[in-house]
């Protein structure tokens, strides 16, 4: 009898886990500060890489906090212990005042784990580089440093050690590469620009140029991101002909197995070599994985993520079916691409320049999509599984009262299986807060 009872329980539990799969078991909100005044979204932009990141049991979040005066915004850097979670503590850089009310001009944050340096780059839309870096060791032994702006150097207009072109800069991104750090940026302008990668060495504590890997031809590539995992760096992008978003076209993809020195197309053929001075352009052989004509709704800088099984995923949107739909594109470990409209009841349609979403990977392997409604203030978190061919999207969470492109802490998700998301509330200044919600994941 007892055995049967246990068998029944086991069956129920097994059935429940098949039905329910990944879930959010708790959501904890903390507040970072007050979003700045004005019509531009200076916090919570999809290209901010990263707004929030963690290392060694501590988490960091970068944002502009209000100074109380319109168009006088201050770079603010929070840190907190996350193992276990403690309160945020903040430093405010008063030696640099951000004054351009333009949603391009966000802050990006990166950590070189090898030497414990924290890197910040901020306030760009086709202007000279703004960059500052902490002393070594700050992220390695955080508890032994009082959180103070004195830990950081001043704003620089070049990366120390590197030869490069430092203006006009837009969209700085950091990405960890083993114990070191990549810096990726656009030089040029919308409709006419190139993308460069630099590498920070945690042994020499200095930067070097890897090269120009994407080169516009009277146009520019807008990347969904650069993701480094298991020795492979992967990028996906759309091409833009003019500053007008309707001239976006195609989905491009390339990868590098030598930290950006050479790049391969989907078939594995080398298509760019930094030492030879060659870059990927709009007509480079095998670099377009889906031909999507101009006027078909693909947006610049949406979501991408690599998974541990060698797959690579992209989130974007199209009107090619005749109606605006979200799309998931993914590459199998053997290089086969699949494109599926994301069909979920309750998920509204995207719009031409509506808020952009992100993709993440749970440690259990599910694909997570963080999608902001393009028509109201909701943000949705969904998950799908490899067993369901990533078409079995299931709603994990809905929140309301946001005007944000949801940004998450990739390192913490991997280390703690906690999806820690940076949110900007909707509403008017000064009620609009910047928050972090920690979603604990269960399965
Ligand atoms: C951010 O701005 C708010 C409103 O002025 C203020 O209360 C808060 O102390 C600021 N945060 C920091 C870290 O200065």
């Amino acid at each position: 009898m007892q055995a049967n009872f246990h068998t029944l329980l086991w069956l129920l539990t097994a059935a429940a886990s098949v039905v329910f799969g990944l879930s959010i078991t708790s959501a904890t909100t903390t507040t970072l500060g007050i979003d700045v005044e004005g019509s531009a979204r200076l916090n919570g932009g999809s290209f901010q890489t990263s707004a929030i990141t963690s290392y060694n049991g501590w988490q960091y979040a970068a944002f502009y906090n209000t100074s109380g005066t319109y168009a006088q915004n201050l770079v603010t850097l929070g840190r907190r212990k996350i193992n276990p979670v403690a309160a945020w503590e903040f430093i405010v850089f008063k030696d640099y005042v951000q004054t351009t009310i333009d949603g391009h001009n966000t802050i990006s944050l990166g950590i070189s784990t090898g030497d414990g340096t924290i890197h910040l780059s901020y306030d760009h839309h086709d202007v000279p580089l703004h960059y500052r870096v902490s002393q070594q060791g700050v992220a390695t032994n955080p508890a032994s440093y009082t959180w103070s702006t004195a830990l950081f150097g001043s704003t620089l207009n070049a990366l120390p050690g590197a030869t490069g072109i430092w203006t006009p800069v837009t969209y700085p991104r950091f990405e960890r590469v083993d114990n070191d750090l990549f810096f990726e940026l656009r030089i040029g302008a919308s409709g006419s620009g190139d993308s460069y990668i630099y590498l920070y060495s945690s042994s020499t504590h200095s930067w070097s140029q890897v090269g120009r890997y994407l080169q516009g031809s009277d146009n520019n590539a807008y990347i969904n991101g650069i993701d480094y995992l298991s020795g492979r760096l992967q990028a996906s992008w759309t091409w833009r002909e003019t500053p007008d978003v309707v001239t976006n076209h195609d989905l491009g993809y390339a990868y590098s197995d030598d930290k950006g020195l050479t790049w391969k197309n989907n078939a594995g053929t080398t298509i760019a070599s930094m030492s030879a001075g060659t870059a990927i352009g709009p007509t480079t052989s095998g670099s377009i994985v889906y031909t999507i004509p101009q006027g078909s709704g693909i947006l610049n800088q949406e979501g991408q993520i690599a998974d541990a099984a060698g797959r690579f995923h992209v989130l974007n949107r199209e009107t090619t079916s005749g109606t605006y739909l979200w799309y998931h594109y993914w590459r199998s470990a053997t290089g086969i691409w699949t494109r599926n409209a994301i069909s979920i009841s309750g998920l509204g349609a995207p719009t031409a320049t509506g808020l952009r979403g992100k993709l993440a990977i749970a440690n259990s392997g599910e694909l997570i999509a963080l999608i902001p409604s393009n028509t109201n203030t909701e943000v949705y978190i969904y998950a799908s599984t490899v067993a369901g061919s990533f078409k079995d999207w299931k709603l994990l969470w809905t929140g309301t009262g946001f005007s944000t492109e949801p940004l998450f802490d990739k390192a913490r998700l991997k280390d703690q299986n906690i999806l820690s998301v940076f949110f900007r509330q909707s509403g008017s200044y000064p009620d609009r807060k910047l928050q972090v919600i920690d979603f604990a994941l269960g399965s």
Side-chain angles (χ1 to χ4, degrees):
M1 189 65 207
Q2 198 177 26
N4 282 344
F5 179 71
H6 279 129
T7 307
L8 181 64
L9 260 188
W10 182 85
L11 283 171
L12 281 172
T13 314
S17 67
V18 167
V19 174
F20 294 106
L22 189 72
S23 64
I24 285 172
T25 55
S26 68
T28 308
T29 304
T30 53
T31 295
L32 295 171
I34 306 291
D35 187 44
V36 300
E37 189 175 2
S39 55
R41 197 180 317 104
L42 276 153
N43 293 302
S46 73
F47 40 83
Q48 259 182 286
T49 313
S50 301
I52 184 161
T53 192
S54 55
Y55 173 59
N56 199 23
W58 289 66
Q59 188 176 49
Y60 305 82
F63 56 100
Y64 294 114
N65 199 40
T66 183
S67 69
T69 305
Y70 180 70
Q72 304 267 305
N73 305 318
L74 299 173
V75 175
T76 305
L77 185 60
R79 74 168 189 181
R80 63 172 171 171
K81 208 167 193 286
I82 50 169
N83 197 12
V85 174
W88 288 102
E89 47 181 333
F90 300 101
I91 52 178
V92 183
F93 294 94
K94 297 198 170 136
D95 61 349
Y96 184 95
V97 180
Q98 196 281 335
T99 60
T100 313
I101 304 302
D102 177 335
H104 294 82
N105 293 43
T106 57
I107 307 173
S108 288
L109 158 67
I111 295 174
S112 169
T113 62
D115 68 358
T117 46
I118 301 171
H119 304 246
L120 289 168
S121 189
Y122 37 90
D123 198 17
H124 303 97
H125 191 187
D126 303 340
V127 296
L129 181 71
H130 304 128
Y131 163 84
R132 72 195 317 160
V133 58
S134 78
Q135 293 172 24
Q136 295 162 35
V138 175
T140 319
N141 296 299
S144 62
Y145 291 89
T146 301
W147 196 226
S148 155
T149 55
L151 297 174
F152 286 78
S154 57
T155 298
L156 305 176
N157 301 120
L159 297 176
T163 303
I165 302 171
W166 309 116
T167 192
V169 172
T170 315
Y171 309 122
R173 294 176 188 256
F174 295 101
E175 171 72 2
R176 285 184 212 172
V177 44
D178 305 327
N179 294 326
D180 299 332
L181 191 66
F182 282 130
F183 184 67
E184 202 269 1
L185 76 171
R186 184 184 76 190
I187 293 289
S190 180
S192 173
D194 300 332
S195 298
Y196 286 79
I197 293 178
Y198 292 82
L199 180 63
Y200 179 82
S201 160
S202 59
S203 28
T204 64
H205 319 295
S206 73
W207 289 93
S208 59
Q209 187 184 111
V210 177
R212 174 178 61 181
Y213 74 110
L214 282 163
Q215 181 176 15
S217 170
D218 196 26
N219 57 15
N220 76 286
Y222 275 106
I223 63 166
N224 293 309
I226 52 166
D227 278 86
Y228 180 84
L229 184 67
S230 309
R232 175 165 291 188
L233 180 63
Q234 300 183 84
S236 66
W237 62 88
T238 190
W239 289 100
R240 168 86 71 89
E241 296 303 313
T242 76
D244 189 343
V245 67
V246 306
T247 67
N248 284 354
H249 61 95
D250 299 335
L251 178 64
Y253 168 80
Y255 67 91
S256 172
D257 287 340
D258 57 9
K259 299 183 181 175
L261 292 173
T262 60
W263 289 81
K264 291 179 172 162
N265 66 14
N266 192 56
T269 306
T270 298
I271 50 173
S273 159
M274 301 303 98
S275 63
T278 55
I280 305 164
T283 60
T284 297
S285 171
S287 63
I288 301 299
V289 293
Y290 286 105
T291 301
I292 300 166
Q294 288 188 39
S296 301
I298 188 166
L299 195 50
N300 40 283
Q301 302 156 308
E302 196 132 16
Q304 70 164 45
I305 198 80
D307 76 21
R311 291 177 289 257
F312 178 76
H313 306 265
V314 175
L315 174 71
N316 215 293
R317 58 189 74 194
E318 289 178 36
T319 56
T320 45
S321 70
T323 153
Y324 242 121
L325 295 170
W326 301 92
Y327 277 83
H328 170 222
Y329 314 76
W330 63 279
R331 181 182 194 265
S332 73
T334 55
I336 312 293
W337 280 87
T338 302
R339 163 163 67 175
N340 289 318
I342 299 180
S343 148
I344 311 175
S345 131
L347 170 65
T351 63
T353 55
L355 293 165
R356 290 161 288 195
K358 289 285 167 223
L359 296 176
I361 297 286
N363 285 344
S364 44
E366 285 94 337
L367 178 65
I368 296 171
L370 299 103
I371 303 185
S373 168
N374 281 196
T375 51
N376 62 40
T377 65
E378 294 190 334
V379 172
Y380 312 105
I381 302 179
Y382 299 100
S384 68
T385 66
V386 65
S389 305
F390 301 112
K391 293 197 281 191
D392 53 345
W393 293 103
K394 185 187 72 169
L395 182 65
L396 302 186
W397 183 84
T398 307
T400 192
F402 301 110
S403 173
T404 199
E405 301 190 305
L407 306 169
F408 68 97
D409 180 341
K410 197 162 75 164
R412 190 176 185 195
L413 182 55
K414 200 170 172 189
D415 294 346
Q416 297 189 330
N417 210 32
I418 290 174
L419 180 66
S420 200
V421 185
F422 180 104
F423 285 101
R424 172 186 182 266
Q425 291 184 328
S426 57
S428 52
Y429 173 86
D431 299 328
R432 194 170 61 219
K433 295 187 192 74
L434 301 171
Q435 296 183 319
V436 175
I437 305 182
D438 295 335
F439 300 99
L441 302 179
S443 53

